[in-house]
Amino acid sequence: LINRIVGEKISIQNKKINTTQVTIMGVKNIKKTQLIFYDTPGSNFLKSLNNQSRNLKTNLWSGIDESDIIFYLIDSKTANKKFLFEQIDKLQEVKKKIIVIFNKIDLISNKQLLPLISDLNRNFNIDSFFTISAIQNIGIEDLLDYIEKYSYVSKWIFKHDEITNKDDNFIVGELLRETMLTYLHKEIPYNVNIETSNFKILKNNDIKIKQKIIINQKRYKKIILGKKGEMIKKIREDSQKKMSQI
């Protein structure tokens, strides 16, 4: 959703949970209005107590604390009533407007969502409901039109041509991590750090990038390299293709 709103890929996407690990700010300028979005880790780990979950919680609540409005984004195909009730009940503690957004509406009919929307509306103080498809660009303009009315007079935080608070080093590091999430299984992608040690624009406008994959367990090395280096080659080629597209 944030990539669709901003118009560029600034936040990685993957089917695995907790893809977003740190809060990323995306900027959308509409005429004289600047809207700033905080893409936070999801809320599915709120009851977890391990160290990784603690870091994710810190990033989630920090983003919520900085925001004026909470977008609670739901996958329409996998929506679970019990889970949603628990999560929204917790979010309401911060006393901010909550807009519930059902994504992937292109894969399900609105009628199937009506009972769930009715239950949520009856049990919680939800500001409004929206149905969208981020990938098909359905309902995004209506959502932006709606929240624009909550804007207030203030100096812009970002310049007119800025779309995120993250630099090129961070974004290419995230693209490599996204590729690793795709090709590597279980806990490995969550236990590596990406270090971009060189990002240089050459005279012919090519970009030279050097990256290090830092692991916290030796046994991961063999898996990441793969047989005869096939896995690391596949990861490099895929992430390089993504980088060249942006």
Side-chain angles (χ1 to χ4, degrees), residues 105 108-117:
I105 196 62
I108 193 172
S109 71
N110 271 336
K111 285 183 179 178
Q112 289 176 266
L113 292 175
L114 289 177
L116 179 55
I117 290 173

Side-chain angles (χ1 to χ4, degrees), residues 72 74-88 102 116 120:
Y72 188 77
I74 299 169
D75 184 331
S76 297
K77 284 193 71 182
T78 59
N80 178 288
K81 180 179 171 181
K82 182 176 181 292
F83 175 79
L84 293 178
F85 271 49
E86 290 175 355
Q87 302 296 295
I88 294 175
F102 288 92
L116 179 55
L120 288 170

Side-chain angles (χ1 to χ4, degrees), residues 25-42:
M25 295 167 71
V27 184
K28 176 70 172 179
N29 299 323
I30 304 172
K31 295 179 181 177
K32 293 185 178 181
T33 303
Q34 183 169 91
L35 304 174
I36 300 171
F37 299 87
Y38 293 79
D39 185 23
T40 69

Side-chain angles (χ1 to χ4, degrees), residues 176-213:
L176 175 53
R177 192 167 67 82
E178 179 183 61
T179 305
M180 294 181 73
L181 280 164
T182 300
Y183 288 110
L184 301 172
H185 302 297
K186 297 183 179 176
E187 81 277 10
I188 297 176
Y190 301 103
N191 287 282
V192 300
N193 288 315
I194 311 299
E195 184 181 297
T196 301
S197 56
N198 193 343
F199 185 102
K200 186 177 181 181
I201 300 175
L202 306 178
K203 287 181 179 178
N204 63 354
N205 283 330
D206 283 350
I207 300 176
K208 183 179 181 180
I209 299 170
K210 285 185 179 179
Q211 293 178 298
K212 296 176 183 176
I213 299 170

